[in-house]
Amino acid sequence: MSLENLLDQPLNSWMAGGGEEGDIVLSSRIRLARNMESTPFPNRANQLQLRSVVDESRLTLNRLNSMDNHKYLFIELEKLTPLERNVLVEKHIISPNHAQEPEQRALIARDDATVIIMINEEDHLRIQCMMPGLNLLAAAELASQIDDILEERCTLAFTEQMGYLTSCPTNLGTGLRASVMVHLPALVLTRQISRIVGAATQLGLAVRGLYGEGTEAVGNIFQISNQLTLGYSEQEIIANLSSVVKQVVDQERAARTALMTDSKDALSDRVWRAFGVLRYARSISGQEALSMLSEVRLGIDLKIIDEVPGVVFNELLVITRPNYLQKMAGREELEPGPRDRLRAQIIREKLKGGKSSC
Amino acid sequence: MSLENLLDQPLNSWMAGGGEEGDIVLSSRIRLARNMESTPFPNRANQLQLRSVVDESRLTLNRLNSMDNHKYLFIELEKLTPLERNVLVEKHIISPNHAQEPEQRALIARDDATVIIMINEEDHLRIQCMMPGLNLLAAAELASQIDDILEERCTLAFTEQMGYLTSCPTNLGTGLRASVMVHLPALVLTRQISRIVGAATQLGLAVRGLYGEGTEAVGNIFQISNQLTLGYSEQEIIANLSSVVKQVVDQERAARTALMTDSKDALSDRVWRAFGVLRYARSISGQEALSMLSEVRLGIDLKIIDEVPGVVFNELLVITRPNYLQKMAGREELEPGPRDRLRAQIIREKLKGGKSSC
């Protein structure tokens, strides 16, 4: 996979669906925060020091390329246009923060985008591994392999007492953040979501929107992740999150069953109307598209809608984001009007492929 | 045409579209109010007197049947179920008032429903002739022929000074009410409709909703008719109404052109979304159906939507009315829930016939 593929293909392999509880858990992610021992944290480092981190990271490429059958790309963010960087954010490849200030920042990406290493984001190195469905263990195992390779090359900031040292104290210790992206339309529809979010928070987890901290839960998609790392082992963090996510998944399934039992007609009307809007609208905002896509996906999961495969939903989640749309249109700037019309057009074309309906 | 046809076929011939200005003027109607000379008006007459009016009217059937190539049906309203009577109202064949108290009330209907004579409604005889499009003259000519036949048989209440005597003084003189049913979505959309209604009222016309006096203008359909008959000749009434309607049609066309010039994208999105709702909803109220149908019809007229012929709109206007729906379902009583689902189902089936969309 080239950089072009990374930017142009709507789906990373971990977004293609499938995996355990794959109808509700869209993806699992493990992130490890690591820093070079002898270099100040990125927010304290000067340009030269940051440069040395970039250069040193690049030297791990050979080793990474020989690790498995995958190719690894090294991308300096300054060499991308702002639009390209924003597309990477929309594809959940890099963080919004990483995209905003590209100087001395880089990224290592495995060809299928399953492994991403952000360089000089909040920490010198942020290793991310993503898997479809609920599969934190496999993601953690892969992250650990990558971590080992980095440690072969670099001396990382680590103390026996504190564990890995990180820019923000909440990441101290394992430097691990585990998170899953879940689609919870039935819990939202039945107004149980605030209770669930409250309970998860009390269990030391954070619940956020589609694009991380400070973003809204558009399209009924939530990120659930651990808040603290200090004092817990990797295994504990992953086991705790997995267990809570499984409970949330059970609650979502129960809410779906209740909806199908108590108000199947209303639900059916609702998801088909959402399908009708997506199928025929000539202009649609990103927000509305996500919200309609979420309802259609629920309809697909509950076998109310059989016109489109579920993966179209995952694909459209990315395709209909503003920057990806502009990239597709070959434009750096697209006014909201033309953008909303282009979005509607692309959605119509994607949904047209389906079988004819009854 | 049998009674069953009259009840079951969604479209009377005058509703099948076409005619002058047929995209905006759905139909033209002439109604003549007539009363027997020696019998009290219906609200003053006893059962025996009302009976004699029914019997005497029935005697005109032979003469009517020999008038042209059409057959005339004689229907005593008491012999219909309440549901059947309500279907006739929804098809604009009889008035809501006529359907409500069926005792000693009857109706003569030409097989294509172009001619209807209501017996013992507000007046002893109410002759109605309906034509597609803007065609009040042809309707008036036909009404006048029917009137002549009735006069051959019955002595009608008439004085040189007052003209035809009628139960309500507003009908005195010619006894004529001319009305047209117009579809004015662009004037509603551009918020010019109240100005138009105000102007028409000042010119001595009445503007009402789809089902006459006291009904709302659902589906952007309005009835425009003359208010007064006393002191005006038939020709004057018809010429005045025709002239105002032509102006209203011009205004509607101007509003459509303006919409297409200034906000084609928004309009296109709007009418396609309405189509999407009708095409996929699993439950839809009568009110919403009419409103969506109106927008789709506008889209068809403006060649934005090419998936369905305009006549489907006229057909669905009738099919989706509550009583007609119940008749189709073979049920006297249908709860709103099942009714809204049946309505949505029938609309989906009708619209499925169209070409596949882009």
Side-chain angles (χ1 to χ4, degrees):
Chain A
M1 180 148 100
S2 65
L3 171 63
E4 280 313 303
N5 282 343
L6 199 66
L7 288 166
D8 292 347
Q9 284 183 4
L11 289 187
N12 311 323
S13 72
W14 55 271
M15 295 175 76
E20 199 183 334
E21 318 279 15
D23 52 337
I24 292 171
V25 183
L26 303 182
S27 60
S28 297
R29 189 177 74 122
I30 291 289
R31 181 267 283 152
L32 299 176
R34 297 294 184 256
N35 287 280
M36 308 294 188
E37 189 173 35
S38 49
T39 313
F41 292 134
N43 62 337
R44 290 270 175 142
N46 61 33
Q47 293 292 306
L48 218 64
Q49 290 166 322
L50 291 173
R51 189 71 236 164
S52 77
V53 174
V54 172
D55 292 340
E56 205 168 340
S57 312
R58 192 201 289 264
L59 296 176
T60 63
L61 264 186
N62 271 348
R63 184 64 187 86
L64 287 169
N65 277 324
S66 65
M67 182 179 111
D68 48 30
N69 289 323
H70 288 283
K71 285 277 153 213
Y72 286 76
L73 298 170
F74 188 89
I75 301 162
E76 304 225 22
L77 289 195
E78 279 190 281
K79 300 203 172 144
L80 300 182
T81 65
L83 179 64
E84 287 171 331
R85 293 197 297 268
N86 287 332
V87 169
L88 293 178
V89 173
E90 288 175 350
K91 296 182 78 183
H92 301 279
I93 287 176
I94 63 175
S95 66
N97 178 28
H98 203 45
Q100 242 154 35
E101 293 164 30
E103 295 80 16
Q104 312 297 359
R105 286 182 162 179
L107 135 93
I108 294 174
R110 196 168 92 167
D111 51 13
D112 62 354
T114 291
V115 177
I116 300 289
I117 305 167
M118 286 193 287
I119 297 155
N120 288 334
E121 206 243 23
E122 192 180 290
D123 294 295
H124 293 148
L125 301 169
R126 288 205 153 185
I127 305 164
Q128 292 181 164
C129 292
M130 279 154 295
M131 296 280 167
L134 180 55
N135 203 351
L136 288 167
L137 278 176
E141 196 173 314
L142 182 56
S144 165
Q145 285 176 40
I146 304 289
D147 188 29
D148 290 346
I149 288 176
L150 294 178
E151 289 205 63
E152 282 173 21
R153 172 98 235 150
C154 322
T155 311
L156 298 179
F158 179 89
T159 70
E160 277 305 322
Q161 202 194 343
M162 311 269 269
Y164 290 101
L165 303 184
T166 54
S167 178
C168 177
T170 57
N171 292 318
L172 267 178
T174 58
L176 179 143
R177 172 154 286 168
S179 69
V180 292
M181 209 181 277
V182 284
H183 182 227
L184 307 174
L187 288 175
V188 172
L189 220 52
T190 57
R191 293 162 203 267
Q192 298 177 74
I193 194 70
S194 4
R195 187 174 55 75
I196 303 281
V197 169
T201 309
Q202 289 207 319
L203 291 164
L205 301 175
V207 183
R208 304 196 174 96
L210 184 54
Y211 290 100
E213 224 158 331
T215 68
E216 265 183 89
V218 281
N220 303 316
I221 294 174
F222 299 83
Q223 281 186 44
I224 310 179
S225 61
N226 62 311
Q227 285 274 41
L228 295 169
T229 71
L230 194 63
Y232 297 94
S233 72
E234 282 91 342
Q235 290 72 18
E236 283 169 332
I237 292 169
I238 290 172
N240 178 37
L241 180 61
S242 294
S243 144
V244 173
V245 167
K246 272 183 185 155
Q247 287 174 53
V248 171
V249 166
D250 286 346
Q251 302 253 13
E252 169 69 16
R253 281 199 208 290
R256 291 180 182 195
T257 305
L259 281 173
M260 285 299 270
T261 311
D262 304 340
S263 43
K264 185 178 175 189
D265 287 326
L267 183 66
S268 170
D269 185 50
R270 192 182 169 110
V271 302
W272 275 112
R273 278 171 182 253
F275 185 80
V277 167
L278 292 176
R279 179 87 171 68
Y280 287 108
R282 259 51 187 172
S283 173
I284 192 163
S285 72
Q287 183 91 19
E288 189 190 4
L290 280 173
S291 150
M292 298 291 109
L293 282 167
S294 168
E295 305 214 341
V296 168
R297 170 66 191 254
L298 178 63
I300 295 170
D301 287 346
L302 293 175
K303 305 199 188 322
I304 296 171
I305 295 180
D306 60 355
E307 304 211 6
V308 281
V311 68
V312 167
F313 166 82
N314 299 17
E315 207 173 335
L316 284 173
L317 277 189
V318 172
I319 295 185
T320 60
R321 300 291 73 213
N323 293 290
Y324 191 87
L325 268 181
Q326 289 179 208
K327 182 89 176 50
M328 282 183 85
R331 300 271 294 275
E332 279 289 321
E333 288 293 332
L334 205 55
E335 296 287 310
R339 198 167 62 200
D340 289 353
R341 289 199 290 279
L342 177 62
R343 179 182 291 113
Q345 183 192 333
I346 288 167
I347 293 173
R348 288 202 308 280
E349 280 163 11
K350 276 277 163 201
L351 295 183
K352 201 173 55 169
K355 293 181 284 176
S356 98
S357 81
C358 59
Chain B
M1 179 147 100
S2 65
L3 171 61
E4 280 312 301
N5 281 343
L6 200 64
L7 287 167
D8 291 346
Q9 284 184 2
L11 289 186
N12 311 321
S13 70
W14 54 272
M15 294 176 76
E20 198 183 335
E21 318 278 15
D23 52 336
I24 292 171
V25 183
L26 303 181
S27 61
S28 298
R29 189 177 73 121
I30 291 289
R31 181 266 285 154
L32 299 175
R34 298 290 186 259
N35 288 279
M36 309 291 188
E37 189 172 38
S38 49
T39 313
F41 291 134
N43 61 337
R44 291 278 182 130
N46 61 33
Q47 293 292 307
L48 218 65
Q49 291 167 322
L50 290 172
R51 188 71 235 163
S52 78
V53 174
V54 173
D55 292 340
E56 207 168 338
S57 312
R58 190 200 290 266
L59 296 175
T60 62
L61 263 187
N62 270 349
R63 185 63 188 86
L64 286 169
N65 277 321
S66 64
M67 184 181 111
D68 48 30
N69 290 325
H70 288 283
K71 284 279 154 211
Y72 286 76
L73 298 169
F74 188 89
I75 301 162
E76 303 225 21
L77 289 196
E78 277 188 282
K79 300 201 173 148
L80 300 183
T81 65
L83 179 62
E84 288 171 329
R85 293 197 296 271
N86 287 332
V87 169
L88 293 178
V89 172
E90 288 176 348
K91 296 182 74 182
H92 300 278
I93 288 175
I94 64 175
S95 66
N97 178 30
H98 203 46
Q100 240 153 39
E101 294 164 28
E103 296 80 17
Q104 311 298 358
R105 287 182 162 179
L107 128 97
I108 294 174
R110 197 168 90 168
D111 51 13
D112 62 353
T114 291
V115 178
I116 300 290
I117 306 168
M118 286 193 285
I119 298 155
N120 288 335
E121 207 244 21
E122 190 180 291
D123 295 295
H124 294 146
L125 302 168
R126 287 203 155 187
I127 307 163
Q128 292 180 162
C129 293
M130 279 154 295
M131 296 280 168
L134 179 55
N135 202 351
L136 288 166
L137 278 176
E141 196 174 314
L142 182 56
S144 165
Q145 285 176 39
I146 304 289
D147 188 30
D148 290 346
I149 289 175
L150 294 177
E151 290 205 64
E152 282 172 20
R153 172 98 233 153
C154 321
T155 311
L156 297 178
F158 179 90
T159 71
E160 278 305 323
Q161 203 194 344
M162 309 268 270
Y164 290 101
L165 304 184
T166 53
S167 178
C168 175
T170 57
N171 292 317
L172 269 176
T174 58
L176 178 142
R177 172 156 286 168
S179 69
V180 292
M181 206 181 279
V182 284
H183 182 225
L184 307 175
L187 288 174
V188 173
L189 221 52
T190 56
R191 293 161 203 266
Q192 297 179 73
I193 194 69
S194 8
R195 186 173 56 77
I196 303 283
V197 170
T201 310
Q202 287 207 319
L203 292 165
L205 301 176
V207 183
R208 302 193 176 98
L210 185 54
Y211 290 98
E213 225 157 330
T215 66
E216 264 184 89
V218 280
N220 302 318
I221 294 173
F222 299 84
Q223 282 187 41
I224 309 179
S225 61
N226 62 312
Q227 285 275 40
L228 295 168
T229 71
L230 194 64
Y232 297 94
S233 70
E234 282 90 344
Q235 290 72 20
E236 283 169 332
I237 293 169
I238 290 172
N240 179 38
L241 180 60
S242 294
S243 142
V244 172
V245 167
K246 273 183 185 156
Q247 288 173 53
V248 171
V249 167
D250 287 345
Q251 302 253 11
E252 169 69 17
R253 282 199 207 291
R256 290 181 182 194
T257 306
L259 281 174
M260 285 299 269
T261 311
D262 303 339
S263 44
K264 185 175 176 192
D265 288 324
L267 183 66
S268 170
D269 184 51
R270 191 181 170 112
V271 303
W272 275 113
R273 279 170 180 254
F275 185 80
V277 167
L278 293 174
R279 179 86 171 69
Y280 287 107
R282 260 51 188 172
S283 173
I284 191 164
S285 72
Q287 182 91 20
E288 189 190 2
L290 281 173
S291 150
M292 297 291 108
L293 282 167
S294 167
E295 303 215 341
V296 169
R297 170 65 191 254
L298 178 62
I300 295 170
D301 287 347
L302 293 175
K303 305 198 190 322
I304 295 171
I305 295 180
D306 60 355
E307 305 211 5
V308 283
V311 69
V312 167
F313 166 83
N314 299 16
E315 209 173 331
L316 283 172
L317 277 189
V318 172
I319 295 183
T320 58
R321 299 291 74 211
N323 293 290
Y324 191 87
L325 268 182
Q326 289 179 206
K327 181 91 175 51
M328 282 183 86
R331 300 271 296 276
E332 280 289 320
E333 289 293 333
L334 205 54
E335 297 287 311
R339 198 166 63 201
D340 289 351
R341 290 198 290 278
L342 178 62
R343 181 181 292 113
Q345 183 193 332
I346 288 168
I347 293 174
R348 287 201 308 279
E349 280 163 9
K350 276 278 164 201
L351 295 184
K352 201 171 54 165
K355 292 180 281 172
S356 97
S357 81
C358 59

